Amino acid sequence: AQSVTQLGSHVSVSEGALVLLRCNYSSSVPPYLFWYVQYPNQGLQLLLKYTSAATLVKGINGFEAEFKKSETSFHLTKPSAHMSDAAEYFCAVSRGGYNKLIFGAGTRLAVHP
Amino acid sequence: DGGITQSPKYLFRKEGQNVTLSCEQNLNHDAMYWYRQDPGQGLRLIYYSQIVNDFQKGDIAEGYSVSREKKESFPLTVTSAQKNPTAFYLCASSIGGTGGDTQYFGPGTRLTVL
């Protein structure tokens, strides 16, 4: 069965510092992996997705993620945090042939001045 | 502008009542989905539909029902059989129903049981 684990339900960084949000997955087949961002009381917005074309995936707002098959990881990074990055971030894996997503529990990112 | 709309934004329900949440998309997507979001639990799939007049249960379908009579519409009914319906409900759509197709989300409906 496929699953997603996000390490750290809350992450706090200073403005300008590196952002690292961790995601590990389990999948019996090559996965499709996604990172979404959610601002309070809003829907989810796609940051980036991995579909096996390249292991380093660049997304919107300066975020990127690297697919590491040996570590079954898909960590999200941003070199320099901005106050506007404060939100909740979800990692997800596509399950089976019907595009059903399994989501991690989410990581809430706080950015301090 | 193309997108997904959900209404209402906030909904209050008395115990024993059925309520229906609306989801409409003008993206010409074939597949549509309903998720429930609870604090600290991520999103869980309630129902999904790959094509008009067809839908399947997700992981937590008990106490919910859906219909897909039109390509652009996928309403969700929360019935009185759902014992703990207070949650944030999100609708999504994708161009197709195969793995890897990006799901686009609506703004959500927050349901509170009084």
Side-chain angles (χ1 to χ4, degrees), chain B residues 5 7 9 16-17 21 23 26 28 30 46 51 53-54 59 65 68-69 76 83 91 97-98 105 109 112:
Chain B
T5 57
S7 62
K9 186 172 178 65
Q17 283 184 333
L21 283 59
C23 176
N26 61 4
N28 200 32
D30 284 323
I46 304 172
I51 198 168
N53 293 321
D54 185 51
D59 300 314
S65 65
R68 187 84 188 277
E69 298 176 359
L76 174 74
K83 298 306 180 187
C91 177
T98 55
F105 285 80
T109 293
T112 302

Side-chain angles (χ1 to χ4, degrees), chain B residues 2 6 11 24 30 33 36-37 47-48 60 64 71-73 81 85 95 104-105:
Chain B
Q6 292 186 241
L11 185 58
E24 303 276 335
D30 284 323
Y33 313 81
R36 170 180 171 140
Q37 184 177 21
Y47 269 98
Y48 64 103
I60 55 166
Y64 300 98
K71 185 175 184 177
E72 60 270 24
S73 179
I95 192 166
Y104 297 90
F105 285 80

Side-chain angles (χ1 to χ4, degrees), chain A residues 38 42 45 55 57 64 94 96 99 103 110:
Chain A
Q38 184 181 35
Q42 295 186 24
Q45 179 183 7
T55 56
V57 183
E64 63 182 36
S94 181
N99 204 29
F103 284 86

Side-chain angles (χ1 to χ4, degrees), chain A residues 45-105:
Chain A
Q45 179 183 7
L46 180 72
L47 281 176
L48 49 84
K49 72 175 184 179
Y50 167 76
T51 58
S52 77
T55 56
L56 183 62
V57 183
K58 295 187 182 298
I60 63 171
N61 302 338
F63 285 93
E64 63 182 36
E66 186 173 8
F67 173 71
K68 292 187 176 180
K69 183 177 180 180
S70 61
E71 299 178 6
T72 61
S73 68
F74 191 56
H75 302 331
L76 182 70
T77 62
K78 182 175 181 178
S80 177
H82 191 271
M83 297 295 288
S84 62
D85 295 326
E88 189 154 23
Y89 293 79
F90 292 94
C91 181
V93 62
S94 181
R95 169 179 45 169
Y98 294 116
N99 204 29
K100 292 182 287 185
L101 290 178
I102 300 177
F103 284 86

